[in-house]
Amino acid sequence: MARPEQVLLLEPQHELKFRGPFSDVVTTNLKLSNPTDRNVCFKVKTTAPRRYCVRPNSGIIDAGTSINVSVMLQPFEYDPNEKSKHKFMVQSVLAPPDMTDMEGVWKEAKPEELMDSKLRCVFDMPVENEKSHDMESNMSSSLLKSESSALPAKSSSSTLDYGEVKKIMEECKRLQMEAQRLREENKQIRHAPSSMKREEGLSSRYVALILLFFIIGVIVGKLVL
């Protein structure tokens, strides 16, 4: 069986608007009017009870009168993706003439006697604040992407430096061995006939060149490290 149509008049009828910034409590009023000749019990419920403070959240509206309900949105960090996700419901039931206990009325009410109206919440953020928030979000996103993309590059660079150092060290070791060999040959040449002096001069220059390469290799190795 379908529920009866809501007897209370809601103002606003479909949505509760909250204007930011939301760094402090934001209050919106909901007016409930009872145009009937019967008293009406009401309850105000929300899908996000921790986010809102509702005063009063229940009570009785006498025949032909109205009541203002204050819906107070608690401070929070604004998120554009959260728009219109929160909802409110105003539930009502006709009070019996001899009512003495309002909670008893709700417990004894049959499902077909309950009436309800739903409202959605709308967060209205000023343009300058929304732009500022978007800029902060974009900057944070860009920073995270930059850091993420930099990690593999850093790892690759570290691997490349290690390979270069290893290659230079091997080259330095080879040059040391070559220099040692040439020094030994140079000693032998000193005891050779004078006809070999010209070759001795060439060998000496070659040793000097090898030593120069060795020194350069050591310096490069230190710079890389």
Side-chain angles (χ1 to χ4, degrees), residues 15-22 26 28 73 76 78 83-84 121-127 129-130:
E15 61 185 26
L16 296 174
K17 291 185 178 181
F18 299 90
R19 183 169 178 79
F22 304 104
V26 180
T28 292
L73 174 62
F76 76 106
Y78 174 69
K83 286 182 178 180
S84 305
C121 298
V122 178
F123 301 146
D124 185 12
M125 175 65 87
V127 177
N129 292 84
E130 190 162 5

Side-chain angles (χ1 to χ4, degrees), residues 3 41-43 45 89-93 106 114-116:
R3 289 188 178 185
C41 299
F42 76 93
K43 283 185 178 182
K45 301 179 179 180
M89 180 177 72
V90 177
Q91 196 172 42
S92 62
V93 62
W106 288 107
L114 298 176
M115 299 166 282
D116 60 62

Side-chain angles (χ1 to χ4, degrees), residues 137-207:
S137 299
N138 291 336
M139 288 176 65
S140 298
S141 178
S142 299
L143 182 59
L144 288 174
K145 288 180 180 178
S146 299
E147 290 178 351
S148 177
S149 61
L151 288 176
K154 184 177 181 181
S155 176
S156 175
S157 175
S158 298
T159 303
L160 181 62
D161 291 345
Y162 176 76
E164 290 179 352
V165 170
K166 186 177 180 181
K167 187 184 297 184
I168 291 172
M169 294 302 293
E170 290 177 351
E171 183 65 18
C172 288
K173 185 176 180 180
R174 188 186 68 79
L175 290 174
Q176 282 180 317
M177 294 176 65
E178 184 68 17
Q180 180 63 28
R181 186 182 66 80
L182 290 173
R183 279 196 296 269
E184 292 178 358
E185 290 183 359
N186 194 38
K187 289 180 182 179
Q188 295 176 4
I189 290 173
R190 288 177 182 176
H191 300 288
S194 59
S195 60
M196 298 181 65
K197 286 185 178 180
R198 187 171 60 87
E199 293 182 5
E200 179 182 351
L202 291 175
S203 298
S204 298
R205 286 195 296 272
Y206 186 53
V207 170

Side-chain angles (χ1 to χ4, degrees), residues 116-135:
D116 60 62
S117 299
K118 295 180 176 62
L119 301 95
R120 66 190 186 99
C121 298
V122 178
F123 301 146
D124 185 12
M125 175 65 87
V127 177
E128 58 273 13
N129 292 84
E130 190 162 5
K131 285 183 178 179
S132 176
H133 183 275
D134 290 342
M135 287 178 65

